[in-house]
Short mmCIF file of all heavy atoms in Angstrom, two decimals:
data_model
loop_
_atom_site.label_atom_id
_atom_site.label_comp_id
_atom_site.label_asym_id
_atom_site.label_seq_id
_atom_site.Cartn_x
_atom_site.Cartn_y
_atom_site.Cartn_z
N THR A 1 94.88 -55.12 -1.79
CA THR A 1 94.80 -56.39 -2.49
C THR A 1 95.44 -56.30 -3.87
O THR A 1 95.70 -57.34 -4.49
CB THR A 1 93.39 -56.93 -2.64
OG1 THR A 1 92.66 -55.98 -3.42
CG2 THR A 1 92.74 -57.09 -1.26
N LEU A 2 95.68 -55.12 -4.37
CA LEU A 2 96.32 -54.94 -5.69
C LEU A 2 97.71 -55.51 -5.63
O LEU A 2 98.47 -55.32 -4.65
CB LEU A 2 96.32 -53.50 -6.12
CG LEU A 2 94.93 -52.82 -6.22
CD1 LEU A 2 95.10 -51.32 -6.53
CD2 LEU A 2 94.13 -53.49 -7.36
N ARG A 3 98.13 -56.17 -6.67
CA ARG A 3 99.38 -56.88 -6.68
C ARG A 3 100.63 -55.97 -6.67
O ARG A 3 101.60 -56.29 -6.07
CB ARG A 3 99.43 -57.82 -7.83
CG ARG A 3 98.46 -58.92 -7.69
CD ARG A 3 98.59 -59.96 -8.78
NE ARG A 3 97.61 -61.00 -8.54
CZ ARG A 3 97.58 -62.13 -9.26
NH1 ARG A 3 98.44 -62.34 -10.18
NH2 ARG A 3 96.68 -62.99 -8.97
N SER A 4 100.57 -54.91 -7.47
CA SER A 4 101.84 -54.18 -7.69
C SER A 4 101.74 -52.78 -6.97
O SER A 4 100.66 -52.18 -6.88
CB SER A 4 102.07 -54.00 -9.14
OG SER A 4 101.20 -53.09 -9.70
N ASN A 5 102.91 -52.35 -6.58
CA ASN A 5 102.97 -50.97 -6.03
C ASN A 5 102.60 -49.97 -7.13
O ASN A 5 102.07 -48.88 -6.80
CB ASN A 5 104.41 -50.73 -5.56
CG ASN A 5 104.66 -51.38 -4.24
OD1 ASN A 5 103.80 -51.69 -3.46
ND2 ASN A 5 105.97 -51.62 -3.98
N ARG A 6 102.87 -50.28 -8.36
CA ARG A 6 102.52 -49.36 -9.42
C ARG A 6 101.04 -49.17 -9.48
O ARG A 6 100.57 -48.02 -9.72
CB ARG A 6 103.01 -49.92 -10.73
CG ARG A 6 102.76 -49.09 -11.95
CD ARG A 6 103.38 -49.68 -13.20
NE ARG A 6 103.13 -48.85 -14.39
CZ ARG A 6 102.14 -49.16 -15.24
NH1 ARG A 6 101.35 -50.18 -15.05
NH2 ARG A 6 101.86 -48.36 -16.27
N ASP A 7 100.24 -50.22 -9.37
CA ASP A 7 98.76 -50.07 -9.36
C ASP A 7 98.27 -49.30 -8.16
O ASP A 7 97.41 -48.43 -8.30
CB ASP A 7 98.12 -51.48 -9.41
CG ASP A 7 98.22 -52.16 -10.69
OD1 ASP A 7 98.45 -51.54 -11.72
OD2 ASP A 7 98.13 -53.45 -10.67
N ARG A 8 98.85 -49.53 -7.03
CA ARG A 8 98.52 -48.76 -5.84
C ARG A 8 98.86 -47.28 -6.00
O ARG A 8 98.05 -46.43 -5.62
CB ARG A 8 99.16 -49.32 -4.61
CG ARG A 8 98.55 -50.68 -4.17
CD ARG A 8 99.05 -51.15 -2.85
NE ARG A 8 100.41 -51.61 -2.85
CZ ARG A 8 100.76 -52.88 -3.06
NH1 ARG A 8 99.88 -53.84 -3.25
NH2 ARG A 8 102.04 -53.23 -3.05
N GLN A 9 100.01 -47.00 -6.61
CA GLN A 9 100.38 -45.62 -6.87
C GLN A 9 99.48 -44.94 -7.87
O GLN A 9 99.17 -43.79 -7.72
CB GLN A 9 101.83 -45.57 -7.41
CG GLN A 9 102.36 -44.16 -7.56
CD GLN A 9 102.33 -43.31 -6.28
OE1 GLN A 9 102.81 -43.84 -5.21
NE2 GLN A 9 101.79 -42.13 -6.33
N LYS A 10 98.97 -45.70 -8.87
CA LYS A 10 98.00 -45.14 -9.80
C LYS A 10 96.79 -44.70 -9.10
O LYS A 10 96.20 -43.62 -9.45
CB LYS A 10 97.73 -46.16 -10.91
CG LYS A 10 98.85 -46.32 -11.93
CD LYS A 10 98.65 -47.48 -12.86
CE LYS A 10 97.37 -47.60 -13.54
NZ LYS A 10 97.30 -48.69 -14.49
N PHE A 11 96.27 -45.43 -8.15
CA PHE A 11 95.10 -45.03 -7.42
C PHE A 11 95.42 -43.79 -6.58
O PHE A 11 94.61 -42.88 -6.47
CB PHE A 11 94.62 -46.17 -6.48
CG PHE A 11 93.57 -47.00 -7.11
CD1 PHE A 11 93.89 -48.25 -7.49
CD2 PHE A 11 92.29 -46.56 -7.24
CE1 PHE A 11 92.93 -49.05 -8.15
CE2 PHE A 11 91.31 -47.32 -7.85
CZ PHE A 11 91.63 -48.58 -8.27
N ASN A 12 96.56 -43.73 -5.90
CA ASN A 12 96.94 -42.60 -5.13
C ASN A 12 96.93 -41.32 -6.03
O ASN A 12 96.45 -40.29 -5.61
CB ASN A 12 98.30 -42.83 -4.50
CG ASN A 12 98.69 -41.70 -3.56
OD1 ASN A 12 97.95 -41.33 -2.73
ND2 ASN A 12 99.86 -41.15 -3.74
N ASP A 13 97.50 -41.48 -7.21
CA ASP A 13 97.53 -40.34 -8.17
C ASP A 13 96.14 -39.94 -8.52
O ASP A 13 95.83 -38.75 -8.63
CB ASP A 13 98.35 -40.64 -9.36
CG ASP A 13 99.82 -40.83 -9.05
OD1 ASP A 13 100.28 -40.44 -7.98
OD2 ASP A 13 100.54 -41.41 -9.86
N PHE A 14 95.28 -40.89 -8.86
CA PHE A 14 93.91 -40.56 -9.22
C PHE A 14 93.16 -39.90 -8.08
O PHE A 14 92.42 -38.93 -8.27
CB PHE A 14 93.13 -41.84 -9.69
CG PHE A 14 91.73 -41.50 -10.07
CD1 PHE A 14 91.48 -40.86 -11.27
CD2 PHE A 14 90.68 -41.80 -9.23
CE1 PHE A 14 90.14 -40.55 -11.63
CE2 PHE A 14 89.37 -41.47 -9.60
CZ PHE A 14 89.11 -40.85 -10.81
N PHE A 15 93.30 -40.42 -6.83
CA PHE A 15 92.63 -39.83 -5.70
C PHE A 15 93.10 -38.40 -5.48
O PHE A 15 92.28 -37.52 -5.06
CB PHE A 15 92.87 -40.64 -4.45
CG PHE A 15 92.20 -42.04 -4.48
CD1 PHE A 15 92.70 -43.04 -3.73
CD2 PHE A 15 91.13 -42.25 -5.31
CE1 PHE A 15 92.16 -44.27 -3.73
CE2 PHE A 15 90.55 -43.51 -5.33
CZ PHE A 15 91.03 -44.54 -4.52
N SER A 16 94.36 -38.13 -5.76
CA SER A 16 94.87 -36.74 -5.60
C SER A 16 94.21 -35.83 -6.67
O SER A 16 93.85 -34.67 -6.37
CB SER A 16 96.38 -36.75 -5.73
OG SER A 16 96.95 -37.39 -4.65
N ARG A 17 94.07 -36.36 -7.88
CA ARG A 17 93.36 -35.58 -8.98
C ARG A 17 91.90 -35.34 -8.56
O ARG A 17 91.37 -34.22 -8.76
CB ARG A 17 93.47 -36.27 -10.29
CG ARG A 17 94.80 -36.11 -10.97
CD ARG A 17 94.69 -36.52 -12.42
NE ARG A 17 93.89 -37.73 -12.72
CZ ARG A 17 94.41 -38.91 -12.91
NH1 ARG A 17 95.74 -39.09 -12.96
NH2 ARG A 17 93.64 -39.94 -13.11
N LEU A 18 91.32 -36.39 -8.02
CA LEU A 18 89.92 -36.28 -7.59
C LEU A 18 89.74 -35.21 -6.47
O LEU A 18 88.83 -34.44 -6.52
CB LEU A 18 89.41 -37.65 -7.06
CG LEU A 18 87.94 -37.77 -6.67
CD1 LEU A 18 87.07 -37.56 -7.85
CD2 LEU A 18 87.72 -39.14 -6.06
N ALA A 19 90.66 -35.16 -5.57
CA ALA A 19 90.64 -34.16 -4.50
C ALA A 19 90.79 -32.74 -5.07
O ALA A 19 90.29 -31.79 -4.52
CB ALA A 19 91.69 -34.44 -3.46
N GLY A 20 91.48 -32.61 -6.18
CA GLY A 20 91.69 -31.33 -6.84
C GLY A 20 90.42 -30.82 -7.52
O GLY A 20 90.18 -29.61 -7.67
N ASP A 21 89.49 -31.68 -7.92
CA ASP A 21 88.31 -31.30 -8.62
C ASP A 21 87.19 -32.35 -8.44
O ASP A 21 86.81 -33.05 -9.38
CB ASP A 21 88.57 -31.09 -10.11
CG ASP A 21 87.40 -30.49 -10.86
OD1 ASP A 21 86.44 -30.00 -10.24
OD2 ASP A 21 87.45 -30.54 -12.12
N PRO A 22 86.75 -32.50 -7.20
CA PRO A 22 85.81 -33.61 -6.92
C PRO A 22 84.46 -33.56 -7.68
O PRO A 22 84.00 -34.62 -8.12
CB PRO A 22 85.60 -33.55 -5.39
CG PRO A 22 85.98 -32.18 -5.03
CD PRO A 22 87.01 -31.71 -6.02
N GLU A 23 83.93 -32.41 -7.89
CA GLU A 23 82.64 -32.33 -8.63
C GLU A 23 82.86 -32.41 -10.11
O GLU A 23 82.06 -33.00 -10.81
CB GLU A 23 81.95 -31.01 -8.28
CG GLU A 23 81.42 -30.98 -6.83
CD GLU A 23 80.67 -29.70 -6.53
OE1 GLU A 23 80.63 -28.81 -7.32
OE2 GLU A 23 80.17 -29.57 -5.37
N GLY A 24 84.00 -31.89 -10.54
CA GLY A 24 84.33 -31.95 -11.98
C GLY A 24 84.58 -33.35 -12.49
O GLY A 24 84.31 -33.68 -13.65
N LEU A 25 85.11 -34.24 -11.68
CA LEU A 25 85.41 -35.64 -12.11
C LEU A 25 84.25 -36.56 -11.81
O LEU A 25 84.31 -37.77 -12.23
CB LEU A 25 86.66 -36.11 -11.38
CG LEU A 25 87.99 -35.45 -11.82
CD1 LEU A 25 89.17 -35.95 -11.04
CD2 LEU A 25 88.22 -35.63 -13.30
N ALA A 26 83.21 -36.10 -11.17
CA ALA A 26 82.07 -36.97 -10.88
C ALA A 26 81.32 -37.31 -12.22
O ALA A 26 81.19 -36.45 -13.07
CB ALA A 26 81.08 -36.24 -9.92
N GLN A 27 80.94 -38.55 -12.34
CA GLN A 27 80.18 -38.96 -13.48
C GLN A 27 78.73 -39.22 -13.15
O GLN A 27 77.87 -39.39 -14.03
CB GLN A 27 80.86 -40.20 -14.09
CG GLN A 27 82.22 -39.94 -14.62
CD GLN A 27 82.98 -41.19 -15.02
OE1 GLN A 27 82.67 -42.28 -14.62
NE2 GLN A 27 83.97 -41.01 -15.88
N ASP A 28 78.40 -39.29 -11.88
CA ASP A 28 77.03 -39.50 -11.40
C ASP A 28 76.93 -38.98 -10.00
O ASP A 28 77.93 -38.85 -9.28
CB ASP A 28 76.72 -41.04 -11.43
CG ASP A 28 75.23 -41.31 -11.33
OD1 ASP A 28 74.39 -40.35 -11.44
OD2 ASP A 28 74.86 -42.47 -11.04
N SER A 29 75.72 -38.67 -9.59
CA SER A 29 75.46 -38.24 -8.17
C SER A 29 74.09 -38.74 -7.78
O SER A 29 73.23 -38.96 -8.60
CB SER A 29 75.57 -36.71 -8.09
OG SER A 29 74.56 -36.07 -8.80
N PHE A 30 73.93 -38.94 -6.50
CA PHE A 30 72.66 -39.42 -5.94
C PHE A 30 72.53 -38.96 -4.51
O PHE A 30 73.56 -38.69 -3.84
CB PHE A 30 72.53 -40.89 -6.12
CG PHE A 30 73.63 -41.69 -5.46
CD1 PHE A 30 73.55 -42.15 -4.19
CD2 PHE A 30 74.85 -41.94 -6.17
CE1 PHE A 30 74.60 -42.89 -3.61
CE2 PHE A 30 75.89 -42.68 -5.58
CZ PHE A 30 75.74 -43.09 -4.30
N ASP A 31 71.34 -38.91 -4.03
CA ASP A 31 71.04 -38.58 -2.60
C ASP A 31 70.56 -39.81 -1.84
O ASP A 31 69.95 -40.70 -2.44
CB ASP A 31 69.91 -37.56 -2.52
CG ASP A 31 70.22 -36.22 -3.11
OD1 ASP A 31 71.34 -35.77 -2.93
OD2 ASP A 31 69.33 -35.61 -3.76
N ASP A 32 70.94 -39.87 -0.57
CA ASP A 32 70.37 -40.99 0.25
C ASP A 32 69.08 -40.51 0.83
O ASP A 32 68.57 -39.41 0.56
CB ASP A 32 71.39 -41.42 1.29
CG ASP A 32 71.75 -40.39 2.35
OD1 ASP A 32 71.04 -39.32 2.41
OD2 ASP A 32 72.60 -40.66 3.18
N SER A 33 68.46 -41.34 1.67
CA SER A 33 67.14 -41.05 2.23
C SER A 33 67.18 -39.82 3.16
O SER A 33 66.15 -39.22 3.47
CB SER A 33 66.61 -42.22 3.01
OG SER A 33 67.46 -42.57 4.03
N GLU A 34 68.37 -39.40 3.66
CA GLU A 34 68.48 -38.29 4.55
C GLU A 34 68.92 -37.06 3.79
O GLU A 34 69.19 -35.98 4.41
CB GLU A 34 69.49 -38.57 5.65
CG GLU A 34 69.07 -39.75 6.57
CD GLU A 34 70.11 -40.12 7.56
OE1 GLU A 34 71.15 -39.48 7.61
OE2 GLU A 34 69.86 -41.10 8.33
N GLY A 35 69.04 -37.13 2.50
CA GLY A 35 69.40 -35.93 1.69
C GLY A 35 70.86 -35.68 1.51
O GLY A 35 71.23 -34.65 0.99
N ASN A 36 71.72 -36.59 1.91
CA ASN A 36 73.19 -36.48 1.75
C ASN A 36 73.49 -36.76 0.27
O ASN A 36 73.00 -37.74 -0.29
CB ASN A 36 73.91 -37.44 2.63
CG ASN A 36 73.70 -37.12 4.12
OD1 ASN A 36 73.80 -36.00 4.54
ND2 ASN A 36 73.30 -38.11 4.87
N LEU A 37 74.36 -35.92 -0.26
CA LEU A 37 74.72 -36.07 -1.69
C LEU A 37 76.00 -36.91 -1.85
O LEU A 37 76.98 -36.60 -1.18
CB LEU A 37 74.92 -34.65 -2.30
CG LEU A 37 75.26 -34.61 -3.79
CD1 LEU A 37 74.19 -35.25 -4.63
CD2 LEU A 37 75.49 -33.15 -4.21
N TYR A 38 75.94 -37.86 -2.69
CA TYR A 38 77.10 -38.78 -2.97
C TYR A 38 77.45 -38.72 -4.48
O TYR A 38 76.54 -38.39 -5.27
CB TYR A 38 76.77 -40.19 -2.55
CG TYR A 38 76.55 -40.31 -1.09
CD1 TYR A 38 75.28 -40.26 -0.56
CD2 TYR A 38 77.62 -40.50 -0.23
CE1 TYR A 38 75.09 -40.33 0.80
CE2 TYR A 38 77.45 -40.60 1.18
CZ TYR A 38 76.16 -40.52 1.62
OH TYR A 38 75.98 -40.59 3.02
N TYR A 39 78.63 -38.99 -4.78
CA TYR A 39 79.12 -38.96 -6.18
C TYR A 39 79.71 -40.34 -6.52
O TYR A 39 80.20 -41.01 -5.67
CB TYR A 39 80.17 -37.87 -6.35
CG TYR A 39 79.67 -36.50 -6.08
CD1 TYR A 39 79.69 -35.95 -4.82
CD2 TYR A 39 79.10 -35.73 -7.11
CE1 TYR A 39 79.24 -34.68 -4.59
CE2 TYR A 39 78.67 -34.43 -6.87
CZ TYR A 39 78.72 -33.92 -5.62
OH TYR A 39 78.26 -32.67 -5.40
N ALA A 40 79.71 -40.59 -7.82
CA ALA A 40 80.44 -41.81 -8.32
C ALA A 40 81.20 -41.41 -9.57
O ALA A 40 80.81 -40.57 -10.34
CB ALA A 40 79.42 -42.92 -8.62
N THR A 41 82.29 -42.11 -9.76
CA THR A 41 83.12 -41.94 -10.94
C THR A 41 83.77 -43.27 -11.27
O THR A 41 83.88 -44.16 -10.45
CB THR A 41 84.18 -40.84 -10.77
OG1 THR A 41 84.73 -40.51 -12.01
CG2 THR A 41 85.24 -41.22 -9.78
N HIS A 42 84.15 -43.41 -12.53
CA HIS A 42 84.90 -44.62 -12.97
C HIS A 42 86.34 -44.34 -13.10
O HIS A 42 86.72 -43.20 -13.54
CB HIS A 42 84.44 -45.05 -14.37
CG HIS A 42 83.07 -45.72 -14.34
ND1 HIS A 42 81.91 -44.98 -14.38
CD2 HIS A 42 82.70 -47.03 -14.23
CE1 HIS A 42 80.86 -45.85 -14.33
NE2 HIS A 42 81.31 -47.05 -14.25
N TYR A 43 87.16 -45.27 -12.72
CA TYR A 43 88.61 -45.20 -12.97
C TYR A 43 89.05 -46.60 -13.38
O TYR A 43 88.91 -47.58 -12.65
CB TYR A 43 89.34 -44.80 -11.70
CG TYR A 43 90.86 -44.79 -11.83
CD1 TYR A 43 91.47 -43.92 -12.76
CD2 TYR A 43 91.66 -45.72 -11.22
CE1 TYR A 43 92.87 -43.97 -12.91
CE2 TYR A 43 92.98 -45.77 -11.40
CZ TYR A 43 93.61 -44.86 -12.26
OH TYR A 43 94.94 -44.92 -12.45
N GLU A 44 89.57 -46.68 -14.60
CA GLU A 44 89.85 -48.01 -15.22
C GLU A 44 88.69 -48.85 -15.14
O GLU A 44 87.59 -48.53 -15.66
CB GLU A 44 91.16 -48.56 -14.67
CG GLU A 44 92.38 -47.73 -14.99
CD GLU A 44 93.67 -48.33 -14.54
OE1 GLU A 44 93.71 -49.35 -13.79
OE2 GLU A 44 94.77 -47.76 -14.93
#
């Protein structure tokens, strides 16, 4: 839904950085009722 290819490319670049250090870029973490660990981060 993003209007420009540039915005979509920025997300692609961020996701690649995230894959390089997923725990290091996490700003929050939480468990679900089954004990699975999830992470959250902000980008723009």
Side-chain angles (χ1 to χ4, degrees):
T1 64
L2 299 173
R3 292 185 180 189
S4 73
N5 285 336
R6 181 175 178 264
D7 288 338
R8 289 189 285 268
Q9 184 60 47
K10 285 171 48 178
F11 268 106
N12 185 52
D13 293 344
F14 179 76
F15 293 156
S16 293
R17 283 195 318 259
L18 184 64
D21 187 14
E23 290 180 359
L25 292 177
Q27 296 172 337
D28 194 14
S29 64
F30 56 94
D31 295 322
D32 67 7
S33 61
E34 297 175 3
N36 298 309
L37 182 60
Y38 296 93
Y39 297 89
T41 191
H42 285 87
Y43 175 67
E44 294 186 349

